[in-house]
Amino acid sequence: MTTRRNAIGMGLGSALAATLVGKHTARAATPAPETALIVSTWDFGAAANAAAYARFAAGGSLLDAVEAGAQVPEADASNRSVGLGGNPDRDGHVTLDAIIMDGKGNCGAVAALENYVHAISVARRVMEKTPHTFLVGDGANQFAREQGFDATNLLTPESEKAWKEWLKTAQYKPVANIENRRGGALDHDTIGILACSPDGELAGACTTSGMAYKLHGRVGDSPQAGCGLFVEGGVGAAAATGVGEEVTRIAGSARVVANLRAGLSPEAACREAVEHIVRLRGSAVSGAQVGFVAIDTAGQVGAYALMPGFTLAITDRTGHTRVLPSKSLAGPEKG
Ligand code: ASP
């Protein structure tokens, strides 16, 4: 009998031929999609994937795995776009948005949560302890307190200093791919993490402090089911990052999963959603970044972005992790 533990350790063989444009991978004669146990957004996804993999390998559920993964950047004060040390809104409040979901329609989310590091865990409690799917603002804070989460000041001296510097000009111009320039004026970027078990079960999580210096009360795509994250059992899962308003306008992650349902590969499914944003918005999205990652029930992975610079972290069933650049509509990784 195949146990889950030895199923995780199965080799991938030729299935690792790349369709993603990867500096670390060679293009095979007949490219097959990448496969994964866990996939997440951006370079910082690699550390999240490692925690998720370890949790699953230790006997945790897929939800345990994606929650553990999302907690890594949430607790990392040097990451200025998620959790502790996240950039505040323009009034100086660090407000967190998060969602967790599985393939059976179980879903919990919080938005505008203040003073609690692990927004993803509060979101999971919403899913498991309430009849609701989404709590926001004061209600989310009250719920976190009642659930026994420890309150913490999320505004670190570094993020406060950068905010005060920003206040001198108070210009609001999000910069694409700012994660590569930590401490830059307008850091953003979200972790979306998706997992597919060896038997095709799916789960996902998404957590962020949202756009730096946003209006107080602004909620982006990330905690909205179908926008920042969507998971559908028997089909696939998708997550988004970048300018949340553009993702929300097209219900981006739900669109990617609908594309999977229609038979597109994960990469083609993500690309179609990116192209739709451009069709709809034209020059209004010039210079903006939006990136999608997707996984299907076979563990096949794909990604696509508006602009070059988006990366994804892929962890295969042996626990091996690589960070790859995504293809994009514009620039050298165009495909
Ligand atoms: N999508 C996030 C938001 O709009 C930010 C990001 O991923 O860069 O809040």
Side-chain angles (χ1 to χ4, degrees), residues 41-42 239-243 247 270 274 289-293 304-306 310 326:
T41 52
W42 302 111
T241 183
V243 179
V247 177
C270 293
V274 169
Q289 178 62 300
V290 169
F292 292 103
V293 291
Y304 217 85
L306 257 176
F310 176 46
S326 164

Side-chain angles (χ1 to χ4, degrees), residues 3-291:
T3 63
R4 198 185 68 182
R5 186 177 289 273
N6 64 29
I8 293 169
M10 282 176 184
L12 294 172
S14 60
L16 279 176
T19 53
L20 292 160
V21 176
K23 34 184 189 234
H24 313 300
T25 54
R27 194 176 279 277
T30 312
E34 293 273 352
T35 62
L37 181 67
I38 299 151
V39 60
S40 61
T41 52
W42 302 111
D43 303 24
F44 58 62
N49 286 14
Y53 184 88
R55 189 77 186 85
F56 190 67
S61 66
L62 272 192
L63 281 168
D64 293 338
V66 294
E67 180 185 5
Q71 285 176 339
V72 173
E74 283 183 337
D76 177 0
S78 74
N79 182 323
R80 302 273 285 281
S81 54
V82 181
L84 179 68
N87 281 308
D89 63 22
R90 58 189 56 192
D91 298 339
H93 302 274
V94 181
T95 62
L96 305 183
D97 301 337
I99 182 169
I100 191 162
M101 191 168 188
D102 69 14
K104 301 183 182 91
N106 296 308
C107 172
V110 288
L113 181 77
E114 292 186 50
N115 301 316
Y116 296 94
V117 175
H118 291 303
I120 199 65
S121 301
V122 182
R124 186 166 178 185
R125 293 283 178 91
V126 172
M127 179 177 93
E128 292 179 340
K129 305 280 186 199
T130 81
H132 309 306
T133 56
F134 203 171
L135 295 179
V136 304
D138 288 346
N141 294 331
Q142 180 185 332
F143 175 73
R145 191 169 58 248
E146 286 168 1
Q147 286 292 311
F149 288 91
D150 290 330
T152 318
N153 177 15
L154 301 178
L155 188 67
T156 57
E158 292 73 27
S159 48
E160 184 172 15
K161 188 167 165 239
W163 167 60
K164 288 193 167 147
E165 196 54 39
W166 176 81
L167 282 176
K168 290 179 185 163
T169 57
Q171 282 192 333
Y172 188 66
K173 287 185 190 155
V175 179
N177 305 318
I178 198 73
E179 86 296 341
N180 293 323
R181 283 165 275 167
R182 291 275 168 85
L186 284 170
D187 300 71
H188 62 97
D189 300 327
T190 294
I191 180 133
I193 180 165
L194 311 173
C196 175
S197 73
D199 51 7
E201 296 291 314
L202 297 160
C206 184
T207 183
T208 190
S209 52
M211 304 298 283
Y213 317 136
K214 59 196 175 186
L215 283 177
H216 186 59
R218 179 264 188 190
V219 175
D221 59 318
S222 305
Q224 299 189 62
C227 297
L229 178 74
F230 196 64
V231 183
E232 183 173 324
V235 179
T241 183
V243 179
E245 284 73 6
E246 305 305 340
V247 177
T248 300
R249 287 179 218 283
I250 66 154
S253 292
R255 188 176 181 102
V256 172
V257 172
N259 288 337
L260 293 174
R261 197 186 307 119
L264 268 57
S265 71
E267 181 186 300
C270 293
R271 178 176 179 146
E272 192 284 333
V274 169
E275 287 172 342
H276 187 59
I277 290 173
V278 174
R279 261 196 309 275
L280 206 60
R281 301 278 291 150
S283 59
V285 289
S286 141
Q289 178 62 300
V290 169

